[in-house]
Amino acid sequence: MGEPRRPDRVAESIREQVATFLAEGAKDPRIRGFVTVTAVEMTRDLRHANVFVSVMGDEAAIKATFEGLGSVASHLRSMLGKTLRLRNAPEIHFKADESIAHASRIEQLLAQIRTDRDAVAGEPVASAADDADSAAGDAPDPSGTSPSVQ
């Protein structure tokens, strides 16, 4: 029963080792910018590891970073084999993780929908300052009269 979970355990160990290597030991000058290891998927036979990374930066920096990652993959493979004491070290394949960019795009679209809906309804778009004023009790009385101070 423990066998199907082994690829998951090895994947998590690989994710930790690769993240540490990229943060501390990557000497390739092409690996620049903010690189985050988001996930690792292993094949059942533990021969191949797809390492998903998120790279912040412009297109040129992202392309250069993936070229650098490709060049350090063999070194990383031998290091993982020794560190994790695997009989056969998995072949490392770096893949772009687009989930962060995708989530950002969804948030942007939802904000646009809210803005358009409020504009069609004729309601002014409430700002954080308006919300703070309402919460502080500075809003006028609905009857149109000002509250009296006693």
Side-chain angles (χ1 to χ4, degrees):
M1 271 291 164
E3 190 61 32
R5 291 186 15 207
R6 184 162 187 241
D8 294 335
R9 289 193 315 263
V10 171
E12 181 59 25
S13 296
I14 288 174
R15 188 191 65 76
E16 291 172 5
Q17 292 293 320
V18 171
T20 301
F21 173 78
L22 291 177
E24 298 171 357
K27 303 287 189 229
D28 193 314
R30 293 175 290 184
I31 301 174
R32 57 181 190 245
F34 189 66
V35 181
T36 305
V37 180
T38 56
V40 175
E41 290 180 355
M42 296 291 302
T43 57
R44 288 180 57 126
D45 63 359
L46 305 177
R47 299 273 182 173
H48 299 275
N50 289 324
V51 179
F52 292 91
V53 294
S54 174
V55 180
M56 302 301 275
D58 61 354
E59 286 296 320
I62 292 171
K63 184 178 178 188
T65 299
F66 273 99
E67 288 173 2
L69 290 173
S71 70
V72 299
S74 61
H75 171 69
L76 194 55
R77 179 182 184 187
S78 67
M79 186 198 72
L80 287 173
K82 293 174 189 171
T83 305
L84 300 178
R85 296 184 182 161
L86 297 172
R87 183 177 302 147
N88 294 312
E91 216 175 291
I92 306 294
H93 307 280
F94 287 100
K95 307 234 183 229
D97 184 1
E98 302 292 333
S99 63
I100 295 172
H102 188 66
S104 175
R105 177 73 176 138
I106 290 172
E107 284 296 322
Q108 180 184 22
L109 291 173
L110 288 173
Q112 181 64 39
I113 289 170
R114 281 187 224 110
T115 304
D116 291 349
R117 182 191 65 213
D118 291 343
V120 168
E123 299 174 5
V125 178
S127 68
D130 293 340
D131 293 340
D133 290 344
S134 297
D138 294 338
D141 187 23
S143 64
T145 61
S146 60
S148 61
V149 178
Q150 295 179 352

